[in-house]
Amino acid sequence: MENVLGSPINRVDAPLKVRGAATYAYEHSIPGVTYGVLLTASIAKGRIAQIDSRSAEKSPGVLLVMTHLNSPKLPTLSNQKSTSPTSRVVHVLQDDKVLYADQPIAIVIAETLEAAKEASHLLDVRYEEEVHHVELTGREAQGYSPQKAGGGGDPSNTERGNLPKGMSDGAVRLNHIYQTPFEVHNPMEPHATIAVWDQAGGLTIFDATQGVSGDQERVAALLGLKPENVRVISPYLGGGFGSKGPTWSHVLITALAAKVVGRPVKVAVSRPQMFGMLGFRSTTHQSIYAAATRPGQLTALRHDTLCLTSRFDEFVETASLSARMLYAVPNNVTTHKVVRSDIGTPSFMRAPGEAPGTYGLEAAMDEMADALEMDPIEFRLANYADADPENGKPWSSKSLRACYKKGAEHFGWSKRRHEPGSVREGHTLIGYGMATSVYPTRRSPSSAAARVMADGTFLVVAGTQDLGTGTYTIMTQVAAQAFGVSPDRVTFKLGDSRLPKTPVSGGSQTAASTGSAVFAAANALREKISQMATTDRDSPLFGSGVGDVEFINGRISLKHSPSKSEPIEEVVKRSGQSFVEAKGTAEPGAEKEAYSMYAFGAQFAEVHVDADLGQLKVARMVGCFGAGKILNAKTARSQLTGGIIWGISMALYESALMDARLGRFVNNNLAEYHVPVNADVGVVEAIWVDEEDTHINPIGAKGIGEIGITGATAAIANAVFNATGIRIRDLPITPDKLLGPRAS
Ligand code: MOS
């Protein structure tokens, strides 16, 4: 009971999921529901010259074919802007323009899904095509510097010290370009929406969203409704990874179609349609310049990132952020540039910025360590930043030294041989590599409410989300810990915009933000119960000070005389009420200005490369993290290993192939967009160091949603170099790239 928080309890929602009783967005059963199928553009740029829907309309079961010709016009669409980090400009059948491949151009509504699908094939669309540009290579010079880079509002470009001096101070210099491909989130659950209008003009949306409040606000704003007349419900998600943070076009189109047909409409985006209209990670070109002295002191570091954005919206893949703060280098320049292209807007994808950025930076650091003939960890320790070099602020906590040490020991790093290509077993070349992980610690204003019932059970609520990550479970633990009861007495409810407002579940901030609000609500309820007990003549605690009681084993007891106690629910029962409730809020405070707040980690990889065929396998990975208080050792392990496995995916497999002639992704399915299967993943271990951070937030959690992927890709690329002597600076590392000249 004492240590509910942190303990590896099973997911509280697991039984429902195992039984298929957890209802995902598309699965809500709505009387009278109709089925929508989206039609998306087959060209990348131009206009719809003609769209003939007559045969589709005559197809059996069809209720509506909605195109730009008959769609209701939105009052506010012309004003839409990316006003918040999760806003994206959407396309809601308002005009004939096509701005990217797979932009929605029509929706068919029918009595059944089959009828809607059938009719969608009968639409006859003629386009007037224009020349499109979707590639980065060859268009680098068109890049411009955005005002801000990323959701945190960081400056796009920074400079400290004197870079040219730092370059000349160095004895060893390197300058390389590291490239990452387009990557597309592929949550198991596709994006899906059900829109239900009531007779009073209110709208209820069952949506696969990472943020019910943001969804509610954006839908209301675009449809010209009051926010209180829009309700968003999202109890379970089958993954999101950033792709379900924004409110995309299909949500609005579904709502409009439901209004026109006068019945509820449900829409799921098909897997191929998920490649392009729902955000993805832009390809990046990262130019990294570094210089260091012979003893291994970095004197200059420059990281320039170039990526794509759409013609009509701006998203920056902030890959240069880590180079600002990770190493104690006095002379530093970081920049971001984006190139306008005829693509859907790229968007947040797990560890936006840091995932590709730590690949480039940490591969470059490995190259530098190699050039200096230093151990890669020794090189990093020689440049360890004891305060944030960007602004001189102290870290709220930083356990990176301990992560290097513990991770190295756990992995067996001391067995690494420095000479590339020097470890061979038969046909197999074996290499070890490591890299640093880093991800910022953020939180946003959040609120929650807690009730204790007369039967001694607790209901805690917040309008947050569970992406499949464990929010239900960890919030239950935070509350149970505060109440001094077993977690099975606590029910946590989330996923409804009518519940107390919380931020989007993005930026790894749910545990810190909503966890702190739940903690505040639980404490407020304790306070209230304590007040009631100590002022009630019928309570054994009557007359005690509120500060003298504690909540242990389901009882409220006097600290110094534990025999004076009563079950918590007795207080509720005597009150004559069916429950007692309190609310809590939490928001970032002075810590934001006083400290630099990040989670850190060290990743280690062992790769096996077939010397003749170039076939690669990541045999082992160890990630060791310093991420504040770990709220549940089991869900945390899943989150972190999931991130590391994504690092394997990014290193060896993932690439959304943009056909420059067609202007679209051509491998838009899970057969050709490669991700690792179990057989591709060796032993993956996520461990951590105990870290008490008393500055970041009341519960001390840094958030672990994204750090697991950071550094993982570089550790693998560095291990490939150690195995083969071949440095691949262009992801993914596929066997063909290793069939060149070899060190050994
Ligand atoms: Mo995460 S990519 O900020 O949902």
Side-chain angles (χ1 to χ4, degrees):
M1 199 85 75
E2 289 289 285
N3 294 311
V4 173
L5 206 53
S7 74
I9 69 166
N10 288 336
R11 288 165 190 270
V12 298
D13 50 337
L16 281 178
K17 287 187 173 173
V18 171
R19 298 204 318 269
T23 312
Y24 291 80
Y26 198 77
E27 299 174 330
H28 291 272
S29 175
I30 309 293
V33 79
T34 65
Y35 296 80
V37 167
L38 288 170
L39 193 74
T40 59
S42 61
I43 63 164
K45 188 178 187 181
R47 59 176 287 271
I48 301 164
Q50 197 197 328
I51 188 159
D52 184 346
S53 53
R54 283 170 301 182
S55 338
E57 279 160 2
K58 280 192 223 118
S59 189
V62 170
L63 300 165
L64 171 71
V65 179
M66 196 166 88
T67 69
H68 70 280
L69 298 171
N70 62 345
S71 169
K73 293 293 168 268
L74 294 183
T76 53
L77 196 71
S78 56
N79 300 326
Q80 64 170 314
K81 280 196 294 264
S82 300
T83 49
S84 86
T86 49
S87 296
R88 289 273 74 97
V89 174
V90 292
H91 294 97
V92 196
L93 314 180
Q94 298 294 293
D95 56 40
D96 60 357
K97 289 191 190 63
V98 174
L99 300 174
Y100 55 97
D102 279 321
Q103 175 191 315
I105 57 166
I107 188 167
V108 178
I109 311 296
E111 293 287 356
T112 65
L113 178 61
E114 293 74 13
K117 261 191 192 155
E118 168 75 12
S120 72
H121 296 302
L122 300 175
L123 278 161
D124 186 10
V125 187
R126 305 281 158 87
Y127 299 97
E128 268 170 27
E129 269 193 82
E130 290 168 39
V131 178
H132 60 252
H133 295 285
V134 295
E135 64 286 4
L136 184 51
T137 302
R139 298 173 61 236
E140 293 88 346
Q142 296 174 33
Y144 69 92
S145 282
Q147 285 274 308
K148 294 273 180 207
D154 295 292
S156 184
N157 304 335
T158 59
E159 186 170 356
R160 70 169 176 264
N162 179 339
L163 196 82
K165 178 173 180 309
M167 287 153 72
S168 59
D169 285 352
V172 177
R173 303 179 185 88
L174 64 80
N175 188 8
H176 295 298
I177 292 179
Y178 300 85
Q179 299 192 24
T180 64
F182 286 108
E183 294 156 356
V184 179
H185 335 63
N186 271 287
M188 291 284 278
E189 179 205 23
H191 296 61
T193 303
I194 306 176
V196 188
W197 291 88
D198 60 39
Q199 300 204 318
L203 174 64
T204 299
I205 289 183
F206 298 86
D207 198 20
T209 175
Q210 287 174 234
V212 291
S213 296
D215 218 22
Q216 174 198 31
E217 283 164 20
R218 290 187 294 271
V219 168
L222 286 173
L223 296 183
L225 299 170
K226 288 187 179 141
E228 59 267 31
N229 291 336
V230 177
R231 180 181 185 185
V232 178
I233 297 174
S234 184
Y236 300 99
L237 285 167
F241 313 112
S243 73
K244 292 171 184 167
T247 301
W248 299 103
S249 310
H250 67 282
V251 178
L252 283 307
I253 294 173
T254 305
L256 285 189
K259 183 106 197 173
V260 174
V261 293
R263 284 170 62 183
V265 171
K266 61 162 68 176
V267 171
V269 178
S270 72
R271 186 65 58 179
Q273 289 172 345
M274 287 170 71
F275 286 70
M277 58 172 270
L278 304 168
F280 46 87
R281 199 190 313 274
S282 169
T283 179
T284 68
H285 291 186
Q286 303 172 46
S287 170
I288 300 184
Y289 184 100
T293 61
R294 266 293 166 200
Q297 210 67 52
L298 279 168
T299 54
L301 179 62
R302 177 174 182 130
H303 193 154
D304 300 300
T305 295
L306 196 61
C307 62
L308 296 177
T309 191
S310 65
R311 292 278 175 208
F312 49 86
D313 198 353
E314 189 178 270
F315 181 83
V316 188
E317 187 67 32
T318 50
S320 300
L321 295 185
S322 306
R324 293 176 184 172
M325 47 62 66
L326 199 48
Y327 295 108
V329 53
N331 307 299
N332 178 256
V333 169
T334 66
T335 71
H336 295 92
K337 280 189 177 164
V338 288
V339 176
R340 294 247 179 238
S341 303
D342 302 302
I343 56 175
T345 310
S347 190
F348 301 94
M349 180 164 168
R350 203 172 195 176
E354 280 79 3
T358 54
Y359 158 66
L361 177 63
E362 288 296 289
M365 293 301 99
D366 197 69
E367 297 206 45
M368 183 57 92
D370 182 64
L372 293 163
E373 298 183 330
M374 279 178 88
D375 176 89
I377 297 179
E378 291 305 318
F379 173 66
R380 285 168 175 83
L381 289 173
N383 294 284
Y384 197 85
D386 286 306
D388 187 339
E390 201 186 347
N391 49 32
K393 286 181 190 173
W395 307 110
S396 63
S397 62
K398 179 177 181 179
S399 310
L400 183 54
R401 267 199 191 91
C403 292
Y404 287 140
K405 188 162 186 292
K406 184 171 176 176
E409 281 168 10
H410 198 88
F411 180 79
W413 181 252
S414 62
K415 295 199 202 78
R416 174 181 184 269
R417 295 253 287 273
H418 185 78
E419 185 63 32
S422 61
V423 182
R424 186 173 177 135
E425 284 176 13
H427 279 273
T428 305
L429 296 165
I430 297 172
Y432 285 11
M434 62 79 57
T436 309
S437 290
V438 63
Y439 195 76
T441 296
R442 304 189 182 97
R443 65 174 170 136
S444 303
S446 195
S447 53
R451 278 181 189 180
V452 53
M453 312 295 177
D455 66 359
T457 60
F458 294 80
L459 175 66
V460 182
V461 299
T464 185
Q465 302 72 218
D466 190 328
L467 281 69
T469 45
T471 310
Y472 278 109
T473 310
I474 59 170
M475 295 307 157
T476 300
Q477 286 174 276
V478 169
Q481 177 83 34
F483 297 134
V485 301
S486 151
D488 55 21
R489 275 173 62 176
V490 177
T491 300
F492 183 73
K493 261 188 79 178
L494 54 68
D496 188 332
S497 60
R498 289 198 177 160
L499 297 174
K501 190 173 169 178
T502 75
V504 64
S505 288
S508 297
Q509 64 172 348
T510 297
S513 308
T514 304
S516 295
V518 165
F519 185 68
N523 285 339
L525 183 59
R526 278 170 55 139
E527 179 90 17
K528 201 163 179 177
I529 293 285
S530 304
Q531 284 285 1
M532 288 168 72
T534 53
T535 55
D536 182 347
R537 286 180 188 285
D538 293 334
S539 168
L541 300 160
F542 177 70
S544 309
V546 167
D548 297 330
V549 301
E550 58 186 350
F551 287 66
I552 289 183
N553 294 328
R555 301 177 76 85
I556 171 170
S557 341
L558 201 55
K559 276 184 200 162
H560 305 297
S561 169
S563 61
K564 279 198 178 170
S565 77
E566 64 174 330
I568 300 169
E569 60 268 29
E570 284 306 313
V571 182
V572 185
K573 281 183 197 159
R574 279 197 310 271
S575 75
Q577 298 164 281
S578 53
F579 60 83
V580 175
E581 183 179 62
K583 296 193 166 114
T585 58
E587 59 184 17
E591 80 281 355
K592 226 175 143 183
E593 302 311 317
Y595 297 98
S596 205
M597 300 182 288
Y598 290 84
F600 293 91
Q603 304 263 15
F604 297 84
E606 175 181 333
V607 302
H608 294 180
V609 182
D610 186 296
D612 299 321
L613 302 174
Q615 281 184 318
L616 289 139
K617 163 120 188 167
V618 178
R620 282 195 306 135
M621 289 210 61
V622 171
C624 182
F625 303 93
K629 172 89 183 157
I630 298 298
L631 303 179
N632 178 319
K634 191 178 282 184
T635 57
R637 184 185 165 277
S638 292
Q639 276 277 69
L640 293 168
T641 52
I644 295 171
I645 291 166
W646 205 339
I648 298 174
S649 190
M650 192 170 160
L652 304 188
Y653 302 103
E654 273 183 74
S655 176
L657 297 167
M658 178 66 87
D659 185 321
R661 295 161 305 174
L662 301 172
R664 59 193 299 122
F665 295 120
V666 288
N667 55 343
N668 56 359
N669 55 75
L670 288 177
E672 294 166 290
Y673 183 83
H674 291 167
V675 295
V677 298
N678 277 331
D680 298 316
V681 177
V683 178
V684 175
E685 290 178 273
I687 57 177
W688 46 85
V689 296
D690 289 327
E691 189 177 75
E692 290 286 326
D693 191 322
T694 53
H695 303 299
I696 41 174
N697 56 61
I699 58 171
K702 283 186 174 175
I704 50 170
E706 306 181 78
I707 187 162
I709 188 176
T710 70
T713 306
I716 295 164
N718 298 343
V720 169
F721 174 76
N722 184 246
T724 64
I726 303 172
R727 185 66 73 172
I728 306 298
R729 302 189 185 94
D730 174 18
L731 296 181
I733 305 170
T734 47
D736 55 298
K737 294 178 184 171
L738 295 174
L739 292 175
R742 193 157 291 130
S744 57

